[in-house]
Amino acid sequence: MHLRAEALILAVRQHGEHGAIVRALTMEHGLQPGYVRGGKSRRIRPILQPANLVLGEWRARTEDQLAGLTVELIHSRAPLYAEPLPAAALEWVTVLTATALPEAQPYPRLHTALDGVIGAIEAAPAARGWALALARYELLLLAELGYGLELDDLPVILRSGGEASWGDILAALSITGEALEADILTDRRADTLAARGRLVERLKRAVA
């Protein structure tokens, strides 16, 4: 197995004294796990920040073996982690994707949408510029995994776009959050919802 592709870092878990197991999303090959030797080092650890765009190279002797992964940084989102709201948004959207998607199945629409949401978080001066995009990403993820919601059950802002009030945005996030909890983030994966809870509470405080 040999794969070389651009990828968005989604999740990093320490492994052993020096390494890390990384899950990253590629356009054509879906979610790909890999072992990064020296992933805890000062040189490599900043590259493995969730939401970073990297050039990854996966190598394994067999399809069943966890591939070794090397990474080159293309674009860092590290500065966003200095701000509480963008940091919470990036934490949630990356952990959601890493938790929900099966490995090695391509979801090109989700990859494009995730890259767009991360770009919106990076570009927008305030949360209002990206919060609705985040809700729409959650809606798309549900649909791509076979849990699409009926159009009649969705607020107009999720169906048609346009300007949205904070009330519209929070209502949209409530609907997608309930669906994620009921259909995707069940059993052990329910712990993932803690990251979403932190984000929603910060959004509510921001507009209070």
Side-chain angles (χ1 to χ4, degrees):
M1 181 265 201
H2 180 208
L3 170 64
R4 181 177 173 87
E6 290 189 5
L8 292 164
I9 300 292
L10 299 182
V12 181
R13 177 167 57 87
Q14 294 183 357
H15 184 80
E17 292 187 12
H18 306 291
I21 295 176
V22 175
R23 296 164 70 80
L25 186 65
T26 69
M27 174 71 83
E28 296 183 356
H29 306 280
L31 183 65
Q32 292 289 337
Y35 174 75
V36 178
R37 189 181 301 275
K40 293 171 62 177
S41 69
R42 291 184 179 180
R43 183 179 69 85
I44 299 179
R45 186 170 54 192
I47 299 174
L48 300 180
Q49 181 78 56
N52 279 359
L53 179 64
V54 301
L55 178 63
E57 188 163 6
W58 290 260
R59 292 181 181 272
R61 293 181 179 178
T62 68
E63 292 290 339
D64 296 330
Q65 181 185 30
L66 178 65
L69 171 62
T70 57
V71 291
E72 298 176 25
L73 181 65
I74 296 175
H75 184 63
S76 173
R77 270 68 185 236
L80 296 175
Y81 284 88
E83 299 292 335
L85 262 175
L90 292 180
E91 178 191 13
W92 162 243
V93 77
T94 53
V95 76
L96 167 64
T97 308
T99 303
L101 296 189
E103 292 178 3
Q105 294 188 27
Y107 290 92
R109 292 180 64 201
L110 278 178
H111 182 280
T112 299
L114 177 61
D115 188 54
V117 170
I118 292 172
I121 295 169
E122 188 172 29
R128 189 165 179 171
W130 49 258
L132 186 59
L134 183 64
R136 288 185 178 135
Y137 177 74
E138 294 177 343
L139 187 67
L140 177 63
L141 184 142
L142 284 159
E144 290 285 292
L145 294 179
Y147 298 99
L149 302 180
E150 295 292 336
L151 288 179
D152 291 343
D153 295 334
L154 300 176
V156 174
I157 197 63
L158 271 179
R159 287 182 273 147
S160 61
E163 291 294 324
S165 68
W166 271 115
D168 293 331
I169 292 170
L170 293 174
L173 286 168
S174 177
I175 290 171
T176 54
E178 289 175 2
L180 288 169
E181 184 174 5
D183 298 322
I184 304 294
L185 302 176
T186 57
D187 302 326
R188 290 184 297 109
R189 295 188 292 182
D191 293 340
T192 304
L193 287 168
R196 192 179 195 276
R198 289 190 292 271
L199 170 61
V200 172
E201 284 304 310
R202 283 177 174 164
L203 287 172
K204 290 179 178 178
R205 289 200 298 270
V207 301

